[in-house]
Structure formats: C-alpha cells, structure tokens
Amino acid sequence: MSSLQSRFGQIDIYLFDQLLKGRITPEMSILDAGCGAGRNLVYFLRESYQVCAADANPNSIESVRSLARTLAPTLPESNFRLEPVEAMSFPGASAAVVLSSAVLHFAADDAHFEAMLLGSWRVLQPGGLFFCRLASTIGIENQVEPLQNRRYRLPDGSERYLVDEPLLAHYTQKLRATPLDPLKTTIVQNLRSMTTWVLRK
C-alpha cells in the first residue's frame, strides 16, 4: 500500500478536493451520514478529527468501529451509530462538516429523499459544510428508464432515486444554503451519473 493510500484510504476525489481547498480543517468535527464501511473517514480518523458516523447497515457500523479502534482508539464507540440518516440521534447543529456520499440516491421516493436530506442537514452547524455526492440524471437523461417516484433504472442495471439540477436548486433554496461550488457531474462510461453538491449552511 502506498503512503498516500495509507493516509487517505479510498477517499472520494471530490471530498479530497474540499481538503485541498482548505474548507475542512482539524478543529472541525465530522459526521458521516450514511458512512458505509468508512472509506471517507480514514484520513479524518488518522489525523485525530472528532468523527461521528451513522449507517443503517450493522456490518458497516462494525467496520467503521473497527477502523476507529485502529486509527483513533480514543473515540468512543457511541460516536458510530446504527441508525438511518433520516432518524439520527446526534444533537442538532453538532457537526461542522456533514458528509453524504452515495447515500441519498437510495431514497424510496420524494418524501424519503427529503427526510434523509433534512435529517442530514439538521445535525450541521450554522456556517458548516455539507458535502453530498449522489446519482443524477444529468448528462444521461435519454439513457435512464423512469419507473416511479423519481426512481429510474440506470444503464448499469441498478435502480436509484435520481436528482436533477432543478431539484437540487429547489433544495438549495429551501435550505437557505449557499452553494460553495457549481454542480460537478461525472458520467461513468454512460452507465451512471454522479453529481457533487457542496453547500454552506
């Protein structure tokens, strides 16, 4: 394993970009809402950030707790909670940075998407950074098959809740948020489209 990979793990390249821009610094607390196995947390744990995380998958939470025991053994296991992002038990406005990476496109419908988004936003401090990466229709509008409730079948065969630019603009306004970057969308070999949405609360 290279020294860079050891330090940063499999961090999302667009999250790494936020680090390079100086928007995430060591005194800031991090909450990964829908953390999965913790791919985006390696650097923050290793560098002694105050890290919390939630996921509805028990295997994911156990993986993150194991990672934390190795990289940040002083963090309590209660920082890593088995719960869905729409019903997290962390206090409101408790994190300076909230990560939502490849999470919101698992919404079942509009109401579920909004609950997940608002649940993630609730725990973000005023002035905090919201980093979100999620599947969208942007750039592949003619290649996705509409199902129902804004769910689509993608060319890669998966089914996802897909956002578009007007929906993200609507929620940016509804949240009274400030966009920090223009929307950035990556199309992966015409199989799926991933959009990065970065806001200041």
Side-chain angles (χ1 to χ4, degrees), residues 12 31-37 39-40 54-57 60 83-86 88 98-109 112-117 119-120 130-135 151 159-163 194-195:
D12 184 290
L31 198 163
D32 194 340
C35 57
R39 67 182 288 259
N40 284 314
D55 201 284
N57 185 321
S60 294
E83 49 197 21
V85 297
E86 63 269 30
M88 290 186 290
V98 170
L99 310 179
S100 176
S101 184
V103 176
L104 297 182
H105 54 234
F106 291 110
D109 52 30
H112 190 206
F113 175 84
E114 181 164 297
M116 294 170 77
L117 175 61
S120 302
F130 181 67
F131 172 88
C132 183
R133 196 119 141 86
L134 72 174
R151 288 184 66 84
E159 294 182 12
R160 297 284 185 266
Y161 181 96
L162 300 183
V163 301
M194 294 293 292
T195 294

Side-chain angles (χ1 to χ4, degrees), residues 129-184:
L129 175 76
F130 181 67
F131 172 88
C132 183
R133 196 119 141 86
L134 72 174
S136 74
T137 61
I138 299 170
I140 58 168
E141 292 87 350
N142 298 325
Q143 297 166 262
V144 293
E145 176 188 348
L147 300 173
Q148 58 181 354
N149 300 319
R150 203 180 268 274
R151 288 184 66 84
Y152 294 79
R153 182 171 291 109
L154 279 71
D156 66 5
S158 63
E159 294 182 12
R160 297 284 185 266
Y161 181 96
L162 300 183
V163 301
D164 54 23
E165 190 169 345
L167 186 70
L168 295 181
H170 163 75
Y171 276 108
T172 299
Q173 184 174 28
K174 182 171 182 173
L175 297 170
R176 299 181 179 179
T178 302
L180 291 183
D181 292 322
L183 294 178
K184 296 175 182 176

Side-chain angles (χ1 to χ4, degrees), residues 2-20:
S2 71
S3 58
L4 275 176
Q5 187 175 2
S6 174
R7 186 177 183 194
F8 291 99
Q10 300 294 323
I11 192 169
D12 184 290
I13 190 67
Y14 292 97
L15 178 55
F16 185 65
D17 181 54
Q18 298 303 307
L19 284 167
L20 292 178

